[in-house]
């Protein structure tokens, strides 16, 4: 499953500044080379800091290279959820932070000649029953200071029962942006090491030490500060894995004959329908997203088929060219977690919980974290605080989420014995609890691995749509052969 952005990307040469088993040092080490990590690294390098970025795969390989690429402040129903849970003051601060992130990123793209398309964005009702949800978004926008308006009609081929329109938003291809970040980082003396997976963090006096595994050797990195920008934080201290719900959603790109819808749209209810166009080669593609599900708890084959059918129904003649998926994390209180990994820890910081709006939130997090390390602050920072009194409102949701985790932990260990063996391109976990085995067959090649997630012992399930093993507890994902794709696990599945 290759995204439109990664397929069109003529990537920079692999960053070959390997660690080679040595002890390296830096003022700041950033873990993760997505938009949050690289934007933070650039800001700190501009301030004269020696910055090292370590990335387990390649820059943009996880969420940033698989996003829809919407750079919008409207953000579906996010604002109405924040307003209902936290009130107008926090909602305004959230918007101010995202506005600063959006403004900074657009200025950067203009200065570096990164292509941007400026379009209106819409949160719309697919049916009459969704109109109240869309109206609630309009009310939240107005209370939070966004000049949104109601649109009774829109020039679209799909059902539209009114919606919120926010003018002058933006959409981008994320990979040229990351390339520009990498070029500036290296020009300012920073370094990016790809293929370097962080496995452990410890403290040595007032320094942070990371144990890093590369293809060549095990190494260590010492730094004054560490920023963990890995989607789900890979270190369990702080318990963020228990405060985030991992969700996976899918994008399909189509070559559409005739006119493509120009503005951006996302539905206010389910099933989610997110629409944008994208320049590609000498033409354009229609990108449609949806089929969201909690990671590891289902394989959305039917939902993905319906997403495709919906597109072909409303865009006759549409031909699929790309399909991909991305993982995002929903915080229990609907606000991102940006700040110390533990209260009072000014050495290790995290940035997570952007619930599908990482282009603005991730850039806001970069501004917030770089300012904090440099001794400053942002007056809207409380809305993105990793530790704040407003988290109390999320306690019931956290309890429910962790009860679900307990249920899926028990279910995973108790049910494999009754499952059927795989056939075709499929995977299954079988055997008694004392000898579980995960088997899958991909293009005629069978793989057998242990199904036990090395994070907290959950039993993985097979996702037919993305052909990967997924843990239903906290969203770790593994390739068919057990190779780790994304955490919070820090190593792959073992042998069966």
């Amino acid at each position: 499953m290759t995204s439109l952005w990664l397929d069109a990307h003529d990537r920079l040469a692999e960053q070959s500044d390997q660690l080679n088993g040595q002890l390296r040092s830096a003022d700041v080490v950033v873990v993760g080379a997505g938009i949050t990590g690289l934007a933070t690294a650039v800001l700190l390098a501009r301030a004269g800091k020696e910055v090292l970025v370590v990335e387990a795969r390649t820059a943009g390989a996880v969420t940033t290279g698989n996003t829809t690429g919407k750079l919008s402040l409207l953000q579906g129903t996010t604002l109405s959820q924040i307003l209902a849970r936290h009130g107008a003051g926090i909602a305004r601060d959230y918007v101010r932070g995202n506005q600063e992130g959006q403004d900074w990123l657009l200025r950067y793209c203009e200065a570096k000649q990164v292509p941007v398309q400026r379009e209106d964005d819409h949160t719309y009702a697919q049916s009459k029953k969704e109109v109240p949800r869309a109206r609630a978004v309009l009310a939240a926008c107005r209370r939070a200071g966004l000049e949104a308006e109601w649109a009774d009609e829109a020039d679209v081929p799909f059902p539209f029962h009114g919606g919120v329109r926010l003018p002058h938003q933006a959409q981008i291809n994320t990979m040229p942006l990351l390339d520009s970040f990498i070029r500036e980082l290296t020009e300012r003396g920073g370094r990016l090491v790809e293929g370097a997976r962080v496995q452990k963090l410890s403290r040595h006096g007032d320094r942070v030490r990371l144990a890093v595994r590369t293809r060549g050797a095990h190494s260590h990195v010492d730094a004054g500060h560490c920023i963990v920008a890995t989607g789900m934080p890979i270190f369990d201290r702080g318990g963020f894995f228990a405060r985030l719900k991992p969700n996976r959603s899918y994008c399909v790109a189509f070559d559409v004959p005739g006119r493509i819808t120009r503005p951006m749209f996302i539905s206010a209810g389910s099933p989610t329908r997110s629409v944008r166009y994208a320049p590609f080669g000498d033409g354009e593609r229609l990108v449609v997203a949806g089929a969201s599900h909690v990671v590891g708890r289902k394989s959305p084959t039917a939902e993905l088929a319906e997403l495709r059918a919906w597109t072909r129904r409303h865009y006759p003649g549409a031909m699929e060219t790309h399909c991909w998926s991305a993982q995002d994390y929903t915080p229990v209180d609907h606000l991102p977690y940006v700040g110390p990994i533990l209260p009072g820890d000014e050495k290790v910081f995290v940035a997570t919980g952007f619930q599908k709006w990482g282009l603005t939130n991730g850039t806001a997090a970069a501004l917030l974290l770089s300012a904090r390390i440099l001794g400053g602050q942002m007056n809207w920072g409380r809305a993105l605080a990793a530790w704040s009194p407003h988290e109390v409102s999320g306690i019931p949701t956290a309890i429910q989420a962790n009860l679900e985790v307990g249920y899926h932990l028990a279910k995973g260990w108790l049910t494999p014995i009754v499952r059927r063996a795989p056939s075709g391109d499929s995977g299954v976990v079988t055997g008694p609890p004392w000898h579980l085995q995960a088997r899958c067959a991909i293009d005629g090649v069978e793989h057998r691995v242990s199904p036990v997630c090395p994070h907290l012992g959950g039993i993985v399930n097979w996702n037919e749509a993305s052909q990967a093993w997924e843990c239903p507890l906290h969203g770790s994902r593994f390739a068919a052969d057990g190779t780790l794709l994304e955490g919070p696990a820090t190593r792959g599945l073992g042998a069966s």
Side-chain angles (χ1 to χ4, degrees), residues 118-387:
R118 298 303 296 261
E119 300 289 349
D120 296 350
D121 193 11
H122 300 73
T123 298
Y124 76 100
Q126 302 177 93
S127 62
K128 290 183 179 179
K129 69 178 182 180
E130 286 185 14
V131 171
R133 290 173 63 94
R135 288 284 185 184
V137 172
L138 178 62
C141 286
R142 289 174 173 171
R143 293 195 66 187
L146 284 179
E147 296 183 0
E149 56 193 24
W150 185 259
D152 289 314
E153 297 179 346
D155 184 17
V156 294
F158 46 82
F160 184 92
H161 290 261
V164 185
R165 178 171 59 228
L166 187 63
H168 310 305
Q169 301 306 292
Q171 57 183 31
I172 63 173
N173 176 342
T174 52
M175 296 310 294
L177 173 65
L178 294 193
D179 284 347
S180 184
F181 282 155
I182 294 168
R183 280 192 291 268
E184 181 173 353
L185 175 66
T186 55
E187 287 168 1
R188 294 181 181 275
R191 292 170 290 164
L192 166 63
V193 178
E194 296 178 323
R197 186 172 296 281
V198 175
Q199 296 187 306
K200 185 179 179 181
L201 179 147
S202 58
R203 299 293 285 271
H204 289 256
D206 64 348
R207 304 281 288 177
V208 176
R209 177 168 293 181
L210 299 176
V212 184
R213 178 175 58 82
T214 64
R215 288 183 290 270
H218 291 271
S219 306
H220 290 88
V221 177
D222 276 2
H225 295 90
C226 174
I227 295 170
V228 182
T230 56
M232 176 77 82
I234 57 174
F235 305 119
D236 288 345
R237 62 195 72 181
F240 291 97
F241 65 87
R243 296 192 276 158
L244 296 162
K245 179 171 282 189
N247 291 277
R248 197 153 195 89
S249 53
Y250 299 78
C251 295
V252 187
F254 296 87
D255 187 0
V256 176
R259 190 166 57 89
I260 296 180
T261 301
R262 307 308 294 179
M264 297 177 285
F265 290 85
I266 187 169
S267 59
S270 296
T272 299
R273 296 290 180 257
S274 172
V275 177
R276 64 159 288 189
Y277 76 92
F280 185 79
D282 294 331
E284 293 178 337
R285 295 288 187 270
L286 177 73
V287 177
V288 182
S292 179
H293 65 97
V294 179
V295 178
R297 300 184 188 178
K298 70 180 300 183
S299 184
T301 306
E303 290 82 356
L304 197 50
E306 172 54 29
L307 186 71
R308 292 180 166 114
W310 180 91
T311 305
R312 294 184 177 116
R313 184 163 61 250
H314 299 299
Y315 295 88
M319 298 292 294
E320 180 178 333
T321 62
H322 299 77
C323 179
W324 68 96
S325 62
Q327 195 150 304
D328 297 277
Y329 301 90
T330 301
V332 296
D333 64 349
H334 296 290
L335 289 169
Y337 301 131
V338 181
I341 195 168
L342 287 171
D345 188 337
E346 293 296 319
K347 293 294 182 179
V348 182
F349 300 93
V350 298
T352 185
F354 302 149
Q355 53 182 337
K356 302 184 181 181
W357 301 102
L359 294 186
T360 54
N361 273 302
T363 311
L367 295 170
L368 188 62
L369 292 176
S370 58
R372 187 159 186 162
I373 288 174
L374 296 172
Q377 61 181 354
M378 297 294 183
N379 54 15
W380 43 262
R382 62 172 183 158
L384 278 67
W387 302 94

Side-chain angles (χ1 to χ4, degrees), residues 307-481:
L307 186 71
R308 292 180 166 114
W310 180 91
T311 305
R312 294 184 177 116
R313 184 163 61 250
H314 299 299
Y315 295 88
M319 298 292 294
E320 180 178 333
T321 62
H322 299 77
C323 179
W324 68 96
S325 62
Q327 195 150 304
D328 297 277
Y329 301 90
T330 301
V332 296
D333 64 349
H334 296 290
L335 289 169
Y337 301 131
V338 181
I341 195 168
L342 287 171
D345 188 337
E346 293 296 319
K347 293 294 182 179
V348 182
F349 300 93
V350 298
T352 185
F354 302 149
Q355 53 182 337
K356 302 184 181 181
W357 301 102
L359 294 186
T360 54
N361 273 302
T363 311
L367 295 170
L368 188 62
L369 292 176
S370 58
R372 187 159 186 162
I373 288 174
L374 296 172
Q377 61 181 354
M378 297 294 183
N379 54 15
W380 43 262
R382 62 172 183 158
L384 278 67
W387 302 94
S388 174
H390 60 60
E391 280 193 88
V392 173
S393 66
I395 290 177
T397 305
I399 292 173
Q400 176 63 35
N402 284 282
L403 287 173
E404 293 173 4
V405 165
Y407 165 76
H408 285 281
L409 176 63
K411 178 183 177 183
W413 281 95
L414 295 175
T415 60
I417 195 170
V418 302
R419 297 182 186 176
R420 293 179 296 175
S423 59
D425 287 356
S426 59
V428 71
V429 177
T430 59
W434 56 89
H435 187 61
L436 295 177
Q437 184 179 77
R439 292 185 289 164
C440 66
I442 304 296
D443 297 329
V445 179
E446 186 175 67
H447 301 275
R448 301 186 180 213
V449 295
S450 168
V452 182
C453 177
H455 177 226
L456 290 180
I459 302 302
V460 298
N461 290 313
W462 180 251
N463 184 333
E464 184 68 29
S466 58
Q467 296 194 326
W469 298 107
E470 298 180 345
C471 180
L473 273 59
H474 303 111
S476 295
R477 300 179 65 250
F478 309 87
D481 63 359

